[in-house]
Amino acid sequence: MLRLAGARVLDERDLIDVRGVFDDDPVAACMVAARVEVAGLDPWRLGGEMWASDPRPLRGKVDGLCFSGPNLIPLRGSATAMRMFADRARRRGRMCSSLVGPAEQVLTLWDELQPDWGPAREVRADQPLMAISASPKITPDPLVRQVRPNEIGRYLPAAVSMFIEEVGIDPCAEDGGAGYRARVSELIAAGRAFARFEDGEVVFKAEIGAMSSKVGQIQGVWVRPDRRGEGIGTAGTAAVADRLTRVLNRTASLYVNGYNHVAQAAYRRIGFEQVGQYATVLF
């Protein structure tokens, strides 16, 4: 078993215990659970490593758990566990684009990593994690539907605009957009990209960015600037939440910046309630 600075890399023998962590808080764990349910814990198939903070073989309990891949996602653990994960992350070097997950773990881990990895491009310390398991309280927009593969040319500009607004960088800057287009194409092919089209143009969009066996996480909610304030975003998000809860039998979740009071109010009108707190560190 691989060990470094107290943290160890998990393998298939640890799968039952890892799933126990997911079951304790399926909404907070959705991003990681979605990967593990498909790929297991083999790093090559998982696209990253799952770390535990305990140096001994697991005995039905995981004290600290962290996923290291395209994002660094600490799911559980004390300050001591975060220190162990930080030690391992420092030795590997920064390989992620963000640090995201439950706020207590993320901010504690960032305190450890900041002297070596900082400064961050942005720290979003207050991101309410919200969820709904029942049907939306408002009528879903009947014009919001799944995006078809042959519509990517019309959908992609809206996705790029959303990314620039939300993240602050152009996803097409480094490779001409090939990587981002591939990711969006995957979501469309999986039936997890949704839009309302008017005159052939996207006026609302959203995606189910991660979907485990219990939870679907909505991301990339966007309304064309000239149509904002009309309730399109609220009804459109309700349509995606309705798809998750009624058709796919999942809890619908999302997280939102704490300063975005307008969005939070809209999500509450749909029926979302805060169930946790996320934080994100952007590099």
Side-chain angles (χ1 to χ4, degrees):
M1 189 68 68
L2 296 174
R3 288 183 174 83
L4 183 59
R8 65 189 184 94
V9 178
L10 304 186
D11 58 31
E12 294 300 314
R13 291 170 291 183
D14 303 299
L15 192 54
I16 292 177
D17 298 312
V18 170
R19 284 175 173 167
V21 175
F22 299 160
D23 290 340
D24 286 345
D25 193 345
V27 175
C30 176
M31 285 188 286
V32 180
R35 284 177 169 266
V36 172
E37 288 175 1
V38 172
L41 292 176
D42 175 75
W44 187 84
R45 290 186 289 116
L46 185 61
E49 295 179 345
M50 191 73 74
W51 302 340
S53 61
D54 64 300
R56 303 175 305 280
L58 301 183
R59 292 290 184 266
K61 179 178 175 59
V62 181
D63 293 325
L65 189 68
C66 182
F67 172 72
S68 176
N71 302 298
L72 189 61
I73 308 175
L75 289 178
R76 171 185 285 185
S78 64
T80 299
M82 295 306 111
R83 192 170 302 116
M84 292 179 181
F85 296 148
D87 287 343
R88 186 171 191 95
R90 273 192 295 266
R91 297 195 188 191
R92 285 168 56 90
R94 185 172 70 79
M95 305 172 68
C96 58
S97 61
S98 70
L99 173 55
V100 61
E104 180 181 356
Q105 282 71 36
V106 165
L107 298 177
T108 302
L109 182 55
W110 178 235
D111 283 344
E112 295 287 340
L113 288 171
Q114 185 173 7
D116 299 285
W117 285 13
R121 185 164 54 84
E122 185 178 357
V123 177
R124 299 178 179 180
D126 176 20
Q127 295 181 307
L129 179 65
M130 309 181 79
I132 179 174
S133 298
S135 297
K137 294 180 179 179
I138 68 169
T139 303
D141 186 346
L143 297 181
V144 171
R145 59 170 176 80
Q146 290 174 309
V147 180
R148 305 181 186 105
N150 64 357
E151 294 174 319
I152 188 170
R154 289 187 286 166
Y155 183 81
L156 189 61
V160 171
S161 295
M162 176 281 304
F163 195 96
I164 292 172
E165 285 186 36
E166 176 62 23
V167 182
I169 59 175
D170 186 348
C172 302
E174 289 190 3
D175 60 358
Y180 187 65
R181 182 186 178 96
R183 170 59 178 159
V184 173
S185 295
E186 289 176 3
L187 289 170
I188 292 174
R192 288 162 44 191
F194 299 83
R196 172 173 171 159
F197 291 90
E198 291 183 4
D199 298 323
E201 293 189 5
V202 175
V203 297
F204 166 85
K205 67 161 287 294
E207 296 128 11
I208 303 171
M211 188 163 66
S212 70
S213 59
K214 296 181 178 181
V215 180
Q217 189 175 87
I218 299 171
Q219 68 174 28
V221 177
W222 179 87
V223 177
R224 200 173 70 189
D226 65 326
R227 301 298 303 276
R228 293 173 185 175
E230 301 178 18
I232 291 175
T234 305
T237 304
V240 182
D242 184 62
R243 174 83 177 182
L244 278 165
T245 58
R246 185 176 57 83
V247 180
L248 298 175
N249 196 31
R250 263 89 166 174
T251 294
S253 76
L254 50 80
Y255 60 100
V256 58
N257 291 316
Y259 57 77
N260 194 341
H261 301 294
V262 173
Q264 289 183 62
Y267 297 145
R268 289 193 175 96
R269 286 197 297 273
I270 295 169
F272 283 89
E273 296 180 351
Q274 184 171 351
V275 297
Q277 190 79 7
Y278 257 30
T280 302
V281 179
L282 296 171
F283 300 118

